[in-house]
Amino acid sequence: MIRALILGGTADASLLAAEIARAGIDAVYSYGGRTRTPADQPLPTRIGGFGGVSGLADYFRREGITHVIDATHPFATEMSRNAVEACAETGVPLMALERSAWVKAPGDNWIEIPDVNAAVAALPKSPAKVFLAIGRQHIAPFASRPEHAYTLRFVDPPEKPLPFTADVIVSRGPFTLEGELEMMRTRSIAWIVARNSGGDGARAKIDAARMLSLPVIMIARPRLPERLRVESVAEVLQWLCHRARLGA
Ligand code: 3Y8
Ligand code: NAP
């Protein structure tokens, strides 16, 4: 009998949860507890960390988890690494649902860099209006460049003072091209800092930047350990059904 754990928190994970619920497969959906009101899921849902690799392995045993699907965001590296280790330790099969990175298209003006610190260094020398579309957790390094006028976008309103003066847009996405164009025009945004998340939920800002001929400082994805991975919900379901036929 299959009992799957979905490590979620993305649009793809929500699509997967809907298909798994429709197929009547026994599964649990897991959020990390990063946002105040995460989207409801059509599956039993747990919220919060497991307590590292050992906590995750204990969870598999306690809950009788037979398969794990890591559908977390490409930048949720700690969760993904823990899943690889806990699955190796317990022998529970792991499949990652990971969308492909965005690829620079004709007309894109990207400055591709490896991490947030390199993004700070890539900012222009003269003061500019910069849209930091990288959430809440990793903005502190930009305090070293106070000469710029920043617009931030968070899922929830900030709970504590920001490390630097900035305008904050509170919105959870997914975002539309029209909405991104409107926001960038009314705020006279001249630079965008983004992570190469891939997928459609955050792609609109990249398309808007191209249309407005704005430079994008694009943070590359961190490396993840080797693991089985697919890019579509259908392939995850095929994997689960194949495993069920094997009596896994
Ligand atoms: C808690 C679940 C859906 C899912 C929506 C996707 C699309 C919009 C793009 C911008 C970039 C950013 C951020 C972003 C995107 C989707 C998807 C995606 C980027 C929710 C969600 C959770 C989170 C966590 C949150 C992070 C933050 C990152 C905002 C739910 C809405 C910037 C990533 O305040 C915080 O602590 C927020 C933390 C991790 C990155 C950061 O470091 O701040 N996502 N985002 C999940 C959990 O608790 O397990 O609340 O319902 C999910 C989504 N975020 O229903 O359609 O699928 O990628 N999320 C980035 O790409 O850089 C926004 O603003 O343009
Ligand atoms: P992270 O840094 O990789 O993980 C830090 C710790 O948070 C993990 O070790 C784990 O705690 C807990 N955790 C993370 N995701 C979890 C999940 N789905 N279920 C249970 N515990 C989880 O994670 P993150 O980058 O902060 O992302 C947190 C969540 O937001 C994930 O669900 C991710 O899919 C979603 N998200 C992240 C981004 C992003 O830019 N990082 C973008 C969109 C959505 P323990 O070690 O205690 O188990």
Side-chain angles (χ1 to χ4, degrees):
M1 260 319 262
I2 285 190
R3 179 159 166 68
L5 170 64
I6 301 175
L7 298 173
T10 60
D12 299 333
S14 298
L15 292 173
L16 173 65
E19 289 305 314
I20 281 191
R22 213 189 318 277
I25 296 169
D26 182 12
V28 179
Y29 190 96
S30 180
Y31 279 119
R34 282 269 180 276
T35 52
R36 285 191 197 163
T37 52
D40 290 334
Q41 296 296 338
L43 293 170
T45 299
R46 64 171 299 292
I47 298 182
F50 295 93
V53 174
S54 59
L56 185 56
D58 289 347
Y59 180 83
F60 296 165
R61 295 182 188 105
R62 198 168 59 245
E63 293 296 324
I65 300 298
T66 63
H67 292 76
V68 176
I69 299 111
D70 178 359
T72 59
H73 190 273
F75 281 78
T77 51
E78 192 178 346
M79 186 72 258
S80 293
R81 290 192 177 111
N82 289 0
V84 169
E85 282 191 54
C87 288
E89 179 187 313
T90 57
V92 174
L94 170 66
M95 174 63 79
L97 172 57
E98 186 186 287
R99 65 262 186 139
S100 47
W102 294 319
V103 176
K104 195 160 70 167
D108 280 336
N109 173 7
W110 289 2
I111 298 102
E112 298 183 78
I113 39 95
D115 55 36
V116 172
N117 291 326
V120 175
L123 287 172
K125 294 285 171 279
S126 50
K129 294 191 177 209
V130 180
F131 174 36
L132 289 186
I134 56 171
R136 176 188 60 84
Q137 298 180 92
H138 305 287
I139 57 172
F142 290 90
S144 67
R145 300 295 297 274
E147 71 272 26
H148 298 298
Y150 295 105
T151 294
L152 308 177
R153 183 152 65 191
F154 290 177
V155 177
D156 296 315
E159 283 155 358
K160 53 183 194 267
L162 297 173
F164 47 82
T165 311
D167 274 355
V168 178
I169 301 170
V170 178
S171 173
R172 69 170 44 232
F175 307 101
T176 64
L177 179 59
E178 297 67 33
E180 300 292 59
L181 286 168
E182 168 72 15
M183 182 272 289
M184 292 179 190
R185 284 184 178 127
T186 50
R187 292 170 179 269
S188 312
I189 298 292
W191 286 74
I192 289 126
V193 180
R195 292 166 164 169
N196 197 325
S197 310
D200 303 329
R203 148 116 246 162
K205 61 179 176 286
I206 308 302
D207 297 333
R210 183 186 320 109
M211 289 173 73
L212 298 174
S213 305
L214 299 181
V216 177
I217 298 174
M218 181 65 82
I219 301 170
R221 289 182 173 187
R223 293 188 58 71
L224 286 173
E226 274 308 302
R227 64 214 174 131
L228 261 184
R229 63 180 283 275
V230 291
E231 293 190 11
S232 74
V233 167
E235 289 169 288
V236 175
L237 288 172
Q238 281 163 8
W239 177 68
L240 283 176
C241 294
H242 173 68
R243 305 274 320 176
R245 281 195 295 277
L246 295 177

